[in-house]
Amino acid sequence: SQQGEEDPQALSIQEGENATMNCSYKTSINNLQWYRQNSGRGLVHLILIRSNEREKHSGRLRVTLDTSKKSSSLLITASRAADTASYFCATDRAGSARQLTFGSGTQLTVLP
Amino acid sequence: DAGITQSPRHKVTETGTPVTLRCHQTENHRYMYWYRQDPGHGLRLIHYSYGVKDTDKGEVSDGYSVSRSKTEDFLLTLESATSSQTSVYFCAISGTGREEPGGEKLFFGSGTQLSVL
């Protein structure tokens, strides 16, 4: 069974708008990561947030983590057409840090 | 893609034939992984390796075997391919040794599209 599930499955916005994607998971984690995948390519790591952190920023990315609700959100501010991609959350499990479990992803389309 | 080469990039094969996919890294990372990606399932871990000749099963290991005889190479073998193994296969690496514990991120190859007819 999947540890992480993203919501929504697909999101379409205009350039300049903010995009928010959510991830829910089931078991205790050490950290949660977000990855991006352009069409036909491998995944690229975006940001990692540890279980004892609540918010983290990297450029136009803002990630929050609520361990009580077992959920995370990824906010992309001032989106660009180049942000069009699939975004995945990945969680490890406490005691099994090597086995990342990925959700099924959110397909983001940013219209110019 | 972070010094990771997957070969072949595309392969079409018939049911019942053996298939081997290769992952080669030039980063000297300790950990190597094989994932498969299918619509609606995200990425699922098949097997991973934590050192030469040290491997372990992932979530969907049935029908797959792996070998790692050198740090830089991790092979995924489908002994007798089935149509359900049609998928995109990704190799990933981690473990530079410089991360804080529990903070390792994965670097992915470009993938191998495998079609089993």
Side-chain angles (χ1 to χ4, degrees):
Chain A
S1 61
Q2 286 185 304
Q3 171 76 317
E5 293 290 344
E6 288 89 347
D7 170 56
Q9 292 187 350
L11 179 62
S12 183
I13 59 174
Q14 296 292 135
E15 208 165 22
E17 295 180 340
N18 296 339
T20 300
M21 289 158 271
N22 303 297
C23 170
S24 59
Y25 57 93
K26 297 177 182 176
T27 62
S28 296
I29 61 172
N30 294 309
N31 65 64
L32 184 144
Q33 305 182 38
W34 285 91
Y35 287 80
R36 163 192 170 130
Q37 183 181 34
N38 289 84
S39 181
R41 305 297 299 274
L43 280 72
V44 175
H45 180 268
L46 294 176
I47 195 165
L48 179 152
I49 186 166
R50 300 182 189 281
S51 59
N52 62 353
E53 297 176 312
R54 292 295 168 259
E55 187 170 314
K56 201 162 184 179
H57 297 256
S58 178
R60 293 185 294 115
L61 305 180
R62 172 180 172 252
V63 170
T64 61
L65 179 64
D66 187 335
T67 53
S68 67
K69 295 182 179 178
K70 292 186 170 58
S71 67
S72 173
S73 68
L74 171 67
L75 168 67
I76 304 174
T77 60
S79 63
R80 307 165 182 168
D83 294 328
T84 294
S86 292
Y87 292 82
F88 296 87
C89 68
T91 52
D92 63 358
R93 299 182 187 182
S96 181
R98 292 297 161 200
Q99 298 200 38
L100 285 188
T101 303
F102 288 81
S104 54
T106 292
Q107 172 62 52
L108 173 66
T109 301
V110 181
L111 302 170
Chain B
D1 287 318
I4 307 169
T5 304
Q6 291 188 232
S7 59
R9 289 297 311 277
H10 303 273
K11 185 169 182 66
V12 180
T13 190
E14 294 184 348
T15 298
T17 60
V19 177
T20 295
L21 308 183
R22 180 178 183 244
C23 178
H24 178 79
Q25 61 147 329
T26 58
E27 306 294 323
N28 200 34
H29 281 32
R30 178 180 176 186
Y31 297 91
M32 299 185 75
Y33 310 80
W34 278 107
Y35 284 87
R36 61 177 288 174
Q37 184 175 32
D38 304 288
H41 289 277
L43 278 83
R44 292 180 291 175
L45 181 65
I46 304 171
H47 282 279
Y48 68 101
S49 169
Y50 45 96
V52 173
K53 299 184 179 177
D54 291 323
T55 65
D56 205 350
K57 296 179 180 179
E59 179 187 357
V60 290
S61 60
D62 288 348
Y64 301 94
S65 63
V66 290
S67 66
R68 191 170 180 196
S69 59
K70 298 185 290 184
T71 298
E72 56 266 35
D73 290 325
F74 193 32
L75 303 180
L76 177 70
T77 298
L78 291 67
E79 300 291 346
S80 178
T82 67
S83 58
S84 65
Q85 293 175 313
T86 292
S87 187
V88 180
Y89 291 85
F90 286 97
C91 175
I93 64 176
S94 72
T96 64
R98 296 188 295 273
E99 302 90 351
E100 297 177 24
E104 295 190 5
K105 60 185 180 183
L106 301 184
F107 299 91
F108 283 83
S110 298
T112 294
Q113 173 67 61
L114 176 66
S115 297
V116 183
L117 305 178

Coordinates of all heavy atoms in Angstrom, one line a residue, chain A residues 9-52:
Chain A
Q9 N -5.0 15.2 -8.1 CA -4.2 14.4 -9.1 C -3.7 15.3 -10.2 O -2.7 15.0 -10.8 CB -5.1 13.3 -9.6 CG -5.4 12.2 -8.6 CD -6.1 11.0 -9.2 OE1 -6.6 11.0 -10.4 NE2 -6.3 9.9 -8.5
A10 N -4.5 16.3 -10.6 CA -4.1 17.2 -11.6 C -4.5 18.6 -11.3 O -5.6 18.8 -10.6 CB -4.8 16.8 -13.0
L11 N -3.7 19.6 -11.7 CA -3.9 21.0 -11.3 C -3.5 21.8 -12.5 O -2.4 21.7 -13.0 CB -3.1 21.3 -10.1 CG -3.2 22.8 -9.6 CD1 -4.6 23.1 -9.2 CD2 -2.2 22.9 -8.4
S12 N -4.4 22.7 -12.9 CA -4.1 23.6 -14.1 C -4.3 25.0 -13.6 O -5.3 25.4 -13.1 CB -5.0 23.3 -15.2 OG -4.6 24.1 -16.4
I13 N -3.2 25.9 -13.8 CA -3.3 27.3 -13.3 C -2.6 28.2 -14.4 O -2.0 27.7 -15.3 CB -2.5 27.4 -12.0 CG1 -1.1 27.0 -12.1 CG2 -3.2 26.7 -10.9 CD1 -0.2 27.3 -10.9
Q14 N -2.8 29.5 -14.2 CA -2.2 30.4 -15.1 C -0.9 30.8 -14.5 O -0.6 30.8 -13.3 CB -3.1 31.7 -15.2 CG -4.5 31.5 -15.9 CD -4.3 31.1 -17.3 OE1 -5.0 30.2 -17.8 NE2 -3.5 31.9 -18.0
E15 N 0.0 31.2 -15.5 CA 1.3 31.7 -15.1 C 1.2 32.8 -14.1 O 0.3 33.7 -14.3 CB 2.1 32.1 -16.3 CG 3.6 32.0 -16.2 CD 4.3 32.1 -17.6 OE1 3.7 32.7 -18.5 OE2 5.4 31.6 -17.7
G16 N 2.0 32.8 -13.0 CA 1.9 33.9 -12.0 C 1.1 33.5 -10.8 O 1.3 34.1 -9.8
E17 N 0.2 32.6 -11.0 CA -0.6 32.1 -9.8 C 0.3 31.2 -8.9 O 1.3 30.7 -9.3 CB -1.8 31.4 -10.3 CG -2.8 32.3 -11.0 CD -4.0 31.6 -11.5 OE1 -4.0 30.3 -11.6 OE2 -5.1 32.3 -11.8
N18 N -0.2 31.0 -7.7 CA 0.4 30.0 -6.8 C -0.2 28.6 -7.0 O -1.4 28.5 -7.3 CB 0.2 30.4 -5.4 CG 0.9 31.7 -5.1 OD1 1.8 32.1 -5.8 ND2 0.5 32.4 -4.0
A19 N 0.6 27.6 -6.8 CA 0.1 26.2 -6.9 C 0.3 25.5 -5.6 O 1.4 25.6 -5.1 CB 0.8 25.5 -8.1
T20 N -0.7 24.9 -5.1 CA -0.6 24.1 -3.9 C -1.0 22.7 -4.1 O -2.0 22.4 -4.7 CB -1.5 24.7 -2.8 OG1 -1.2 26.1 -2.5 CG2 -1.4 23.9 -1.5
M21 N -0.1 21.8 -3.7 CA -0.3 20.4 -3.7 C -0.2 19.8 -2.3 O 0.6 20.2 -1.5 CB 0.8 19.7 -4.6 CG 0.6 20.1 -6.1 SD 2.1 19.9 -7.1 CE 2.8 21.5 -6.9
N22 N -1.0 18.8 -2.1 CA -1.0 18.2 -0.8 C -0.6 16.7 -0.8 O -0.8 16.0 -1.8 CB -2.4 18.3 -0.2 CG -2.9 19.7 -0.1 OD1 -2.3 20.5 0.6 ND2 -3.9 20.0 -0.9
C23 N -0.1 16.2 0.3 CA 0.3 14.9 0.4 C -0.1 14.3 1.8 O 0.1 15.0 2.8 CB 1.8 14.8 0.3 SG 2.6 13.2 0.7
S24 N -0.7 13.2 1.8 CA -1.1 12.5 3.1 C -0.4 11.2 3.2 O -0.1 10.5 2.1 CB -2.6 12.3 3.2 OG -3.1 11.5 2.1
Y25 N 0.0 10.8 4.4 CA 0.7 9.5 4.5 C 0.1 8.8 5.7 O -0.7 9.4 6.5 CB 2.2 9.8 4.7 CG 2.6 10.7 5.8 CD1 2.9 10.2 7.1 CD2 2.6 12.1 5.6 CE1 3.3 11.0 8.1 CE2 3.0 12.9 6.6 CZ 3.3 12.4 7.9 OH 3.7 13.2 8.9
K26 N 0.6 7.6 6.0 CA -0.1 6.7 6.9 C 0.6 6.4 8.2 O 0.0 6.3 9.3 CB -0.5 5.4 6.2 CG -1.5 5.6 5.1 CD -1.7 4.2 4.4 CE -2.7 4.4 3.2 NZ -2.9 3.1 2.4
T27 N 1.9 6.3 8.1 CA 2.7 5.9 9.3 C 3.7 6.9 9.7 O 4.0 7.9 9.0 CB 3.4 4.5 9.0 OG1 4.3 4.7 8.0 CG2 2.4 3.4 8.6
S28 N 4.3 6.7 10.9 CA 5.3 7.7 11.4 C 6.5 7.7 10.4 O 6.9 6.7 9.8 CB 5.8 7.2 12.7 OG 4.7 7.3 13.6
I29 N 7.0 8.9 10.2 CA 8.1 9.1 9.3 C 9.3 9.8 10.0 O 9.2 10.4 11.0 CB 7.7 10.0 8.1 CG1 7.2 11.4 8.6 CG2 6.6 9.3 7.3 CD1 6.9 12.4 7.5
N30 N 10.5 9.6 9.3 CA 11.7 10.4 9.7 C 11.7 11.7 8.9 O 12.0 12.7 9.5 CB 13.0 9.6 9.4 CG 13.1 8.4 10.2 OD1 13.0 8.4 11.4 ND2 13.3 7.3 9.6
N31 N 11.4 11.6 7.6 CA 11.4 12.8 6.8 C 10.4 12.7 5.7 O 10.0 11.5 5.4 CB 12.8 13.2 6.3 CG 13.3 12.2 5.4 OD1 12.8 12.0 4.3 ND2 14.4 11.6 5.8
L32 N 10.1 13.7 5.0 CA 9.2 13.7 3.8 C 9.9 14.6 2.8 O 10.5 15.6 3.1 CB 7.8 14.3 4.1 CG 6.8 14.3 3.0 CD1 5.4 14.0 3.6 CD2 6.8 15.6 2.2
Q33 N 9.9 14.1 1.6 CA 10.6 14.7 0.5 C 9.6 15.0 -0.7 O 8.6 14.3 -0.8 CB 11.8 13.9 -0.1 CG 12.8 13.4 1.0 CD 13.9 12.6 0.5 OE1 14.4 12.9 -0.6 NE2 14.3 11.6 1.3
W34 N 9.9 16.0 -1.4 CA 9.2 16.3 -2.6 C 10.1 16.2 -3.8 O 11.3 16.7 -3.8 CB 8.5 17.7 -2.6 CG 7.3 17.8 -1.7 CD1 7.3 18.1 -0.4 CD2 6.0 17.6 -2.1 NE1 6.0 18.1 0.1 CE2 5.2 17.7 -0.9 CE3 5.3 17.2 -3.3 CZ2 3.8 17.6 -0.9 CZ3 4.0 17.1 -3.3 CH2 3.2 17.2 -2.1
Y35 N 9.6 15.6 -4.9 CA 10.3 15.5 -6.1 C 9.5 16.0 -7.3 O 8.3 16.0 -7.2 CB 10.7 14.0 -6.4 CG 11.7 13.4 -5.5 CD1 11.4 13.0 -4.2 CD2 13.0 13.2 -5.9 CE1 12.4 12.5 -3.3 CE2 14.0 12.7 -5.1 CZ 13.7 12.3 -3.8 OH 14.6 11.8 -3.0
R36 N 10.2 16.3 -8.3 CA 9.6 16.8 -9.6 C 10.0 15.9 -10.7 O 11.1 15.4 -10.8 CB 10.0 18.2 -9.8 CG 9.8 18.8 -11.2 CD 10.6 20.1 -11.4 NE 10.6 20.5 -12.8 CZ 10.2 21.7 -13.2 NH1 9.9 22.6 -12.3 NH2 10.2 22.0 -14.4
Q37 N 9.1 15.7 -11.6 CA 9.4 14.9 -12.8 C 8.9 15.5 -14.1 O 7.6 15.7 -14.2 CB 8.8 13.5 -12.7 CG 9.2 12.5 -13.9 CD 8.5 11.2 -13.8 OE1 7.4 11.0 -13.2 NE2 9.3 10.1 -14.2
N38 N 9.7 15.9 -14.9 CA 9.4 16.4 -16.2 C 9.1 15.2 -17.1 O 9.6 14.1 -17.0 CB 10.4 17.3 -16.8 CG 10.6 18.6 -16.1 OD1 11.2 18.7 -15.1 ND2 9.9 19.6 -16.6
S39 N 8.2 15.4 -18.1 CA 7.8 14.4 -19.0 C 8.9 13.6 -19.6 O 9.8 14.2 -20.2 CB 6.9 14.9 -20.1 OG 6.4 13.9 -20.9
G40 N 9.0 12.3 -19.5 CA 10.0 11.5 -20.1 C 11.3 11.5 -19.4 O 12.3 11.0 -19.9
R41 N 11.4 12.1 -18.2 CA 12.6 12.2 -17.4 C 12.6 11.5 -16.1 O 11.5 11.1 -15.6 CB 13.0 13.7 -17.3 CG 13.1 14.5 -18.5 CD 14.2 13.9 -19.4 NE 15.5 14.0 -18.9 CZ 16.3 15.1 -18.9 NH1 15.9 16.2 -19.5 NH2 17.5 15.0 -18.4
G42 N 13.7 11.4 -15.4 CA 13.7 10.9 -14.1 C 13.3 12.0 -13.1 O 13.1 13.1 -13.4
L43 N 13.1 11.5 -11.8 CA 12.7 12.5 -10.8 C 13.9 13.3 -10.3 O 15.0 12.8 -10.3 CB 12.1 11.7 -9.6 CG 10.6 11.3 -9.8 CD1 10.5 10.1 -10.7 CD2 10.0 10.9 -8.4
V44 N 13.6 14.5 -9.9 CA 14.6 15.4 -9.4 C 14.1 15.9 -8.0 O 13.0 16.3 -7.8 CB 14.8 16.6 -10.3 CG1 15.7 17.6 -9.7 CG2 15.3 16.2 -11.7
H45 N 15.0 15.8 -7.0 CA 14.7 16.1 -5.7 C 14.5 17.7 -5.5 O 15.3 18.4 -6.1 CB 15.9 15.7 -4.7 CG 15.7 16.0 -3.3 ND1 16.1 17.2 -2.7 CD2 15.1 15.4 -2.3 CE1 15.8 17.2 -1.5 NE2 15.1 16.1 -1.2
L46 N 13.5 18.1 -4.8 CA 13.2 19.5 -4.6 C 13.6 19.9 -3.2 O 14.3 20.9 -3.0 CB 11.7 19.8 -4.9 CG 11.3 19.6 -6.3 CD1 9.8 19.9 -6.4 CD2 12.0 20.6 -7.3
I47 N 13.0 19.2 -2.2 CA 13.2 19.7 -0.9 C 12.9 18.5 0.1 O 12.1 17.6 -0.2 CB 12.2 20.9 -0.6 CG1 12.6 21.6 0.6 CG2 10.8 20.5 -0.7 CD1 11.9 23.0 0.7
L48 N 13.5 18.6 1.2 CA 13.3 17.6 2.3 C 12.9 18.3 3.6 O 13.6 19.3 3.9 CB 14.6 16.7 2.5 CG 14.6 15.7 3.6 CD1 15.6 14.6 3.2 CD2 15.0 16.2 4.9
I49 N 11.9 17.8 4.3 CA 11.5 18.3 5.5 C 11.5 17.2 6.6 O 11.0 16.1 6.3 CB 10.2 19.0 5.5 CG1 9.9 19.8 6.8 CG2 9.0 18.1 5.0 CD1 8.7 20.8 6.7
R50 N 12.2 17.4 7.7 CA 12.3 16.4 8.7 C 11.0 16.4 9.6 O 10.3 17.4 9.7 CB 13.5 16.7 9.6 CG 14.8 16.6 8.8 CD 16.0 16.8 9.7 NE 17.2 17.0 8.9 CZ 17.8 16.0 8.3 NH1 17.4 14.7 8.5 NH2 18.9 16.2 7.6
S51 N 10.8 15.3 10.3 CA 9.6 15.2 11.1 C 9.5 16.2 12.2 O 8.4 16.5 12.7 CB 9.5 13.7 11.7 OG 10.7 13.5 12.5
N52 N 10.6 16.8 12.7 CA 10.6 17.8 13.7 C 10.5 19.2 13.2 O 10.6 20.2 14.0 CB 11.8 17.6 14.7 CG 13.1 17.8 13.9 OD1 13.2 18.0 12.7 ND2 14.2 17.8 14.7

